[in-house]
Amino acid sequence: MNDRVMKVLEFKKIKEQLVHHASSSLGKELAEKLYPSSELQEVTTWQEETDEAHQVIRVKGSIPLGGVYDIRPYVKRASIGGVLNASECLDIASTIYGGRILKKYIDDIDADELPIPIIRELTNNIVMLSELERSIKQCIDDHGHVMDGASDALRSIRSKIRTMESSVRDRLESYTRSKSKMLSDAIVTIRNDRYVLPVKQEYRASFGGIVHDQSASGATLFIEPQAVVELNNKLHSAKVQEAQEIERILKELSIKVANDEGFLRQNVAILSKIDFMTAKAKLAHQLKAAKPKMNSQGIIRMKEARHPLIPADEVVPNDIEIGADYTSIVITGPNTGGKTVTLKLVGLCTLMAQSGLQVPALDGCEMAVFNQVFADIGDEQSIEQSLSTFSSHMTNIVEILKEVNDKTLVLFDELGAGTDPQEGAGLAMAILDEVVKRNARVIATTHYPELKAYGYNREGVINASVEFDIKTLRPTYRLLIGVPGRSNAFDISKRLGLSESIIEQAKSLTGRESQSVENMIASLEESRRKADEDYQTAEVILEKANELKEELEKKWSAFEKQKEKLLKKAEEKAAKEVEKAKRQAEEIIEKLRQMEKHASIKEHEIIDARKQLEEAGFHANADQMQKTSKPSMDGEKLEPGDEVKVLTLNQTGHIVEKISEKEYQVQLGIMKMKVKRNNLQFVKRKEPIQEKPVASVKGSGYHIKPELDLRGERYEDALLQLEKYIDDALLAGYPHVSIIHGKGTGALRKGVQKFADKHPSISSHRSGTMNEGGTGVTIIEFK
């Protein structure tokens, strides 16, 4: 690109803004070197990089790049044997840390949520030099000072220094107390790195020692008394040792830096690249810019494009298109209407796009990659070369015409100006014809009326103008493609108060052809304005309709998906629960059948089986299992003792207890369980059994269970139940019984055993064996 063009289009100001957005000197350096490329693939890659960084900033708010420094000079000096100072080592550690934080930040971003392959690949190549960072941080604090703990030797030396300093100060402070009248100020100070006293000139002989300095007036001498000279000498020697030890520590760190030279350079290159990409993204965010689609066909399409150097509250957005249906635009109209701004907008946005920067326009914009951008803009008068404005422009145009081809963008401002209007108009049309013939992309501004009809009889050329508001006598700065500009001289003069007769006289002196052209342009402007208004109204309605349609489609799609998801989930859950309950029920029933085949059945096995059956779904999940079975339709009111059929088990038993209107406790053989009413089918009702008197003999048929389950009972209630149960068991004639109290805290077990020890009819008691329930059961033997 031509440096003169870069200057004319003010590309340097864009670079200055970019430099401001860089976080480190590394990024600023790359920003200052920013230059457009004419290679499509390279420009496309640059745009992808900027867009990825812009995506991260939009979604995450920022990219962490703090604490990164340009450590390349330090690394180079260390690699050739130089010794780095503490501050330089600290900058290296900080840069390593900055790279580590950035790498973790990018790794934590969900690749599906935010695909950023370029940035991710860069951060993947950052080497985690944790050992070098740790070595530096263990030796140097955040203020750049070598810490005592950097080595045992340094800790010892500094301890010695502090002791010596304390001794010297104590000795000198004794002087400040005893000879304060001989001192200018009763303080201890330092001169030439040695502790001294400010002694009045006349008392010099009273102190002896060495004079290190004196005040400007000569009235005060800074004397190191002879009594502390030796101590100061030792202190100085210790400080020399300290400096040597610090030098040794820094040398070791410098060697470690040199060993990692390649990795450090690689990390710096990556960090500077990402900082540069982030700066471009921040600039795009500031300008509300969009990523352009790049092409090599010379096509430029921008909707609501804004000049990036004009404040946002002042700039007027414009639609610009060139390169597809037409290759040249001729903008006519009065001065100060914004023609030159439009030229600079197109040129500057082209340079920005070819530099990898996003352009200030709406999404979907398209920009071309040109080999050269030429611009003849502004007053080129040169006093030194004795060239007029016209001559200067012509010199520039001659140079441009030497290099124009189909890969160039040419911007002409006031083409042919500065000479005779007729000759200037002729030259302007001839120059435009030549550039158009070479298939270059050209935008030219002019105020010659002859060029207003230029685009109507030439292929690939279109007229344009900048809108002017007659009511306010101000330009609106809106670009009107396809409509040539009007002079507006008569309308402006009339609104400013010029006599109507003078205006009519002027019109009569103007050629009919000129008036016809002006009338045609006025008609075109009115039609264009009306069409724009109608288009904007239609666009708003269409946009609202599309938004409503999309919203309804999204809601309907989400509803359908949610409905299907919930139905599928419910079906799967129900199927799993039913299958699980069936499987567990079958296992438990089989286990019960096996139990019935054996003569001896342990109480804890019955309890465990009952618990398993309840967990399988006949208590907590009974509702789910009952959904899979046909509910009982009989309306018989069930009472304790009634014989019933448990439908889900296909087993017959009898009612033990009514828990509620919807739930009963049922005895199935040796097992009790809680069953819902709609899972029970009435079979028959037994005749009530006449209870035998308590006085009957042992073994007389007094019916109670051989075990008592006290689990879950309160301590006092449990002992009352135990006392009644023992009496009943004695009447029933049992030789022994099992008391189930569980393990728990052991309080209930102790209470049962204590009761057994005191009862006169109990001969002994013991804890159950493993088959009987272990320590959760106490077996009581009767006399």
Side-chain angles (χ1 to χ4, degrees), residues 287-402:
L287 297 175
K288 295 182 175 60
K291 173 192 172 187
K293 179 182 177 184
M294 304 305 300
N295 68 80
S296 57
Q297 288 78 46
I299 298 172
I300 296 175
R301 288 193 184 96
M302 291 189 287
K303 291 285 186 183
E304 295 191 20
R306 307 172 302 280
H307 195 291
L309 298 179
I310 298 177
D313 57 344
E314 297 177 16
V315 68
V316 176
N318 275 304
D319 297 345
I320 297 170
E321 184 173 341
I322 188 173
D325 299 330
Y326 44 87
T327 61
S328 302
I329 300 175
V330 179
I331 306 174
T332 55
N335 292 331
T336 69
K339 300 193 301 294
T340 304
V341 170
T342 302
L343 283 186
K344 288 188 174 183
L345 165 64
V346 175
L348 186 53
C349 284
T350 298
L351 295 180
M352 289 173 66
Q354 291 187 218
S355 301
L357 300 176
Q358 296 187 353
V359 295
L362 295 183
D363 288 339
C365 56
E366 191 169 357
M367 298 297 293
V369 175
F370 296 102
N371 289 342
Q372 289 285 354
V373 176
F374 295 109
D376 180 57
I377 299 174
D379 188 358
E380 299 292 332
Q381 186 172 7
S382 173
I383 298 174
E384 290 84 359
Q385 298 180 18
S386 300
L387 295 175
S388 66
T389 299
F390 176 77
S391 299
S392 183
H393 277 294
M394 276 300 111
T395 302
N396 192 26
I397 291 170
V398 168
E399 294 300 318
I400 291 172
L401 291 176
K402 289 178 182 178

Side-chain angles (χ1 to χ4, degrees), residues 609-627:
R610 182 192 300 152
K611 190 173 182 182
Q612 289 178 30
L613 191 58
E614 289 179 354
E615 289 175 352
F618 297 102
H619 177 56
N621 296 326
D623 290 340
Q624 183 61 45
M625 287 197 63
Q626 287 157 14
K627 289 177 185 176

Side-chain angles (χ1 to χ4, degrees), residues 535-778:
Y535 177 78
Q536 288 174 3
T537 303
E539 198 172 40
V540 170
I541 294 171
L542 179 61
E543 185 178 353
K544 288 182 178 178
N546 285 334
E547 286 177 359
L548 182 60
K549 180 174 175 288
E550 288 178 7
E551 186 179 353
L552 289 173
E553 285 177 348
K554 285 180 182 177
K555 286 183 177 180
W556 179 255
S557 176
F559 170 75
E560 288 293 324
K561 287 179 181 178
Q562 184 68 7
K563 184 178 76 173
E564 290 177 11
K565 185 177 178 182
L566 290 174
L567 285 174
K568 187 176 179 181
K569 188 175 180 181
E571 289 171 0
E572 290 175 353
K573 184 177 180 182
K576 286 179 182 178
E577 290 294 333
V578 170
E579 185 61 33
K580 179 181 176 183
K582 284 182 178 179
R583 186 170 61 254
Q584 291 180 343
E586 288 171 3
E587 291 173 357
I588 295 166
I589 291 168
E590 181 61 29
K591 187 174 179 181
L592 291 173
R593 286 172 180 165
Q594 294 296 325
M595 286 180 180
E596 289 177 345
K597 293 179 182 179
H598 298 284
S600 59
I601 302 174
K602 302 295 185 284
E603 284 301 318
H604 76 282
E605 292 178 345
I606 297 172
I607 295 165
D608 289 345
R610 182 192 300 152
K611 190 173 182 182
Q612 289 178 30
L613 191 58
E614 289 179 354
E615 289 175 352
F618 297 102
H619 177 56
N621 296 326
D623 290 340
Q624 183 61 45
M625 287 197 63
Q626 287 157 14
K627 289 177 185 176
T628 67
S629 64
K630 183 178 178 181
S632 171
M633 299 302 293
D634 65 88
E636 188 70 35
K637 187 174 181 181
L638 301 180
E639 297 177 358
D642 289 351
E643 187 174 345
V644 291
K645 182 178 181 180
V646 180
L647 298 176
T648 53
L649 296 179
N650 198 25
Q651 297 286 319
T652 302
H654 66 273
I655 302 292
V656 176
E657 182 186 355
K658 179 181 179 182
I659 298 172
S660 68
E661 291 295 334
K662 296 182 179 181
E663 190 173 33
Y664 293 81
Q665 188 177 52
V666 180
Q667 179 89 36
L668 292 176
I670 60 172
M671 182 180 66
K672 288 182 183 178
M673 67 172 63
K674 294 177 183 178
V675 184
K676 297 291 185 182
R677 174 64 182 88
N678 59 0
N679 194 25
L680 296 174
Q681 187 177 42
F682 176 77
V683 177
K684 64 181 179 179
R685 182 162 292 151
K686 289 185 179 181
E687 291 297 324
I689 299 174
Q690 183 68 36
E691 264 192 30
K692 293 189 177 182
V694 175
S696 61
V697 296
K698 291 184 180 180
S700 61
Y702 193 87
H703 297 290
I704 63 167
K705 292 173 60 177
E707 94 281 344
L708 174 64
D709 190 351
L710 298 176
R711 290 177 298 180
E713 299 289 344
R714 294 178 56 192
Y715 184 84
E716 293 80 2
D717 295 340
L719 291 182
L720 288 173
Q721 289 185 40
L722 176 62
E723 184 177 3
K724 183 179 182 303
Y725 174 75
I726 293 298
D727 291 341
D728 293 342
L730 287 167
L731 288 172
Y734 288 134
H736 57 79
V737 291
S738 300
I739 309 301
I740 305 169
H741 43 64
K743 296 178 182 179
T745 61
L748 189 53
R749 173 172 55 82
K750 291 177 181 177
V752 170
Q753 293 176 356
K754 187 176 180 181
F755 173 85
D757 289 337
K758 295 180 179 180
H759 200 284
S761 299
I762 296 175
S763 61
S764 64
H765 63 82
R766 63 178 174 83
S767 294
T769 64
M770 290 299 294
N771 292 332
E772 293 172 328
T775 57
V777 175
T778 295

